Amino acid sequence: MQKMTTPRDAIRVNETRFLEDFSRLTRDGATPEGGLNRPALSEAHLAARETFREMIQERGFSIHEDNAGNLSACHTPSEAKKPVLLLGSHLDSVANGGRFDGALGIAAAFEVLQVLRDHGADSDVPVEVIDFTDEEGTWVSLLGSRAMSGQLTRKDLTNPRGDPEAFRQALQRAGLSIDGLLSATRPAENLQSYLELHIEQGTRLERSRTDIGVVTGMVGIHMYLVTFLGQSNHAGTTPMNKRRDAALGAAEFCLMVRETVMDAYSDCVATVGRMDFSPGAFNIVANRVTVFMELRSENATRAAELEQALREASLNISVKFGLKVDFQHLESVTARKMASAIIEQFESSVDLLGLSSRRLPSLAGHDAQSMATLCPAGLIFVPSAGGFSHSFREYTPWEACVRGANVLLHTAMQLVKSSE
């Protein structure tokens, strides 16, 4: 491969190719409203991965797939002897999600890989673009990147968010296994850095009219199942004051979550995203209601304090309504800081391109959170119109996508140059 001849500062992504690739990567699982519906390991998700595999082969890159199903496009020049510069994101979506969440990051990283090869940039550094499995946590949050970074346990995989048997079948459909996932760890010495581009999924950049968000770190995410246990009985013949109605406990707890956070934990957020009722009929008093709750905070101590406050609230509520309660911690993703050197390099690239940026924490989890335990990691955001995400309304103007891809490109070029 010949060395770069175009002045480094003048190199930009190929906007036409970038848009074509993004469009191709968002066809599988497309919904009539304009969004995406491809939960991890679903038929639509596996079809999207097959599309990416075809694109890798068509462009002449090699393919690597590990035991977690993470799929990579690799460019390893014959002179390459250094650790890999890894760029990536994910192709899975939430149910009935948007086109930009994840897929934009893969398209941008793949475009950077092609530009580096097109211009013969720094041929002694291997570069890889990776699509991580189940970033969205359909089954296990950040599944692929946590597998690569050695953060998964057998308990995580035998106690997934969905039905364990359905998870086993999904793994089988994708040619994966629990033992394989537990063996997918990658040696840290093989990785130089990890870079990721993502939509913000909020309104901070749009409101401040800022081009690029340079992420300083990601919040910790903690998930719980809070189950209120009462007694089933006839909905018509059981007096209201004689009921042990689990629904009353769950409903009051849901309101208490909001009240507790707003009154004393404004630096945290908490969400009840689902409640399952049993027996779940119009004419039967519920004997069991399970509340699916999530807490997020940058500060682990504050998160632990909020958890304890909500545990106490659940006990008080159970006594009030004559119930029992089981407060189960399901899963946590630890808060992580991004590498200061990469933060500074992102900002240098922003300045070179004449753009604006601001530092900000990520209020959502991303694969960079896992990768930060293996190697220096960095994440940038591009604006989300109206802050919409996990919705068909999710949108980022294409010119903003291009700006983000160029920041990613120039940061990658600087990182491979600095490793010479």
Side-chain angles (χ1 to χ4, degrees), residues 71-90:
L71 178 64
S72 297
C74 305
H75 181 56
T76 309
S78 58
E79 303 92 338
K81 299 177 182 177
K82 303 288 180 65
V84 173
L85 172 61
L86 188 65
L87 303 93
S89 196
H90 61 99

Side-chain angles (χ1 to χ4, degrees), residues 3-233:
K3 283 288 186 179
M4 186 182 300
T5 56
T6 304
R8 182 183 296 271
D9 291 357
I11 294 176
R12 300 289 186 273
V13 299
N14 181 325
E15 295 183 30
T16 300
R17 180 176 63 190
F18 179 26
L19 179 56
E20 289 174 350
D21 286 350
F22 173 71
S23 298
R24 190 170 171 185
L25 287 170
T26 53
R27 288 174 189 162
D28 300 297
T31 64
E33 299 84 3
L36 277 183
N37 184 35
R38 52 188 194 207
L41 308 181
S42 65
E43 294 295 345
H45 177 229
L46 298 181
R49 289 198 140 172
E50 188 58 31
T51 296
F52 185 40
R53 185 187 302 274
E54 291 168 0
M55 292 168 62
I56 297 169
Q57 293 173 324
E58 290 168 7
R59 308 297 166 81
F61 297 107
S62 59
I63 294 173
H64 175 71
E65 188 167 4
D66 67 15
N67 287 336
N70 299 317
L71 178 64
S72 297
C74 305
H75 181 56
T76 309
S78 58
E79 303 92 338
K81 299 177 182 177
K82 303 288 180 65
V84 173
L85 172 61
L86 188 65
L87 303 93
S89 196
H90 61 99
L91 288 175
D92 66 294
S93 80
V94 296
N96 297 307
R99 298 169 64 229
F100 291 81
D101 181 354
L104 178 63
I106 293 293
F110 194 52
E111 174 59 22
V112 168
L113 181 67
Q114 293 175 90
V115 173
L116 292 175
R117 184 179 64 177
D118 291 347
H119 290 278
D122 306 294
S123 60
D124 64 342
V125 178
V127 182
E128 178 179 336
V129 172
I130 188 165
D131 163 35
F132 286 112
T133 302
D134 197 12
E135 187 269 358
E136 295 290 3
T138 295
W139 303 105
V140 178
S141 61
L142 306 178
L143 176 64
S145 55
R146 287 171 66 194
M148 178 181 284
S149 55
Q151 298 178 59
L152 283 181
T153 67
R154 189 169 294 275
K155 179 183 177 183
D156 295 326
L157 299 174
T158 55
N159 188 31
R161 292 181 175 181
D163 175 67
E165 178 58 23
F167 180 46
R168 188 193 66 77
Q169 292 176 4
L171 290 175
Q172 187 175 42
R173 182 167 57 242
L176 304 174
S177 68
I178 288 176
D179 286 341
L181 283 160
L182 293 172
S183 69
T185 305
R186 194 153 171 177
E189 60 269 22
N190 290 356
L191 298 174
Q192 186 235 54
S193 305
Y194 173 75
L195 304 179
E196 182 173 354
L197 176 149
H198 207 277
I199 58 170
E200 182 196 351
Q201 304 176 284
T203 60
R204 291 170 295 178
L205 296 178
E206 184 180 60
R207 288 201 314 266
S208 62
R209 299 181 184 275
T210 304
D211 296 317
I212 303 293
V214 180
V215 176
T216 54
M218 274 157 279
V219 294
I221 305 173
H222 312 277
M223 287 143 279
Y224 305 87
L225 298 180
V226 184
T227 302
F228 290 90
L229 301 166
Q231 185 177 69
S232 294
N233 220 327

